[in-house]
Amino acid sequence: MPDGSDREREIRELAWRLWRDAGSPDGREEEFWYAAEAELRTREDRSSDADDGSFPASDPRSDTGIMGPGR
């Protein structure tokens, strides 16, 4: 996980891209900052989920011999 200054830079850069892609509307800086924070948090959550070695309930481990529907 990035330290505070790296995280703030990531948020700032993403917020700027989101703001620019939305047509650079005036007076909505906080909206884009919070959207950038949420998007980065979601990315981090997905990344940590993929790294923990667990399997979602809908995707049984292949070494269990359990096959999903239609398999």
Side-chain angles (χ1 to χ4, degrees):
M1 177 172 272
D3 70 19
S5 61
D6 287 342
R7 175 129 176 103
E8 186 172 323
R9 179 186 49 76
E10 285 183 275
I11 294 168
R12 185 181 317 110
E13 289 173 1
L14 179 55
W16 179 82
R17 285 194 305 269
L18 294 171
W19 172 80
R20 182 196 62 203
D21 292 348
S24 309
D26 289 332
R28 293 173 52 195
E29 295 82 6
E30 285 186 14
E31 174 186 341
F32 291 101
W33 183 272
Y34 293 130
E37 282 183 317
E39 184 170 326
L40 288 175
R41 192 175 315 112
T42 299
R43 290 179 190 176
E44 290 166 356
D45 290 347
R46 286 182 184 151
S47 176
S48 67
D49 287 347
D51 293 341
D52 73 2
S54 66
F55 292 83
S58 62
D59 189 10
R61 293 173 44 149
S62 61
D63 63 351
T64 63
I66 301 171
M67 300 298 285
R71 293 186 181 154

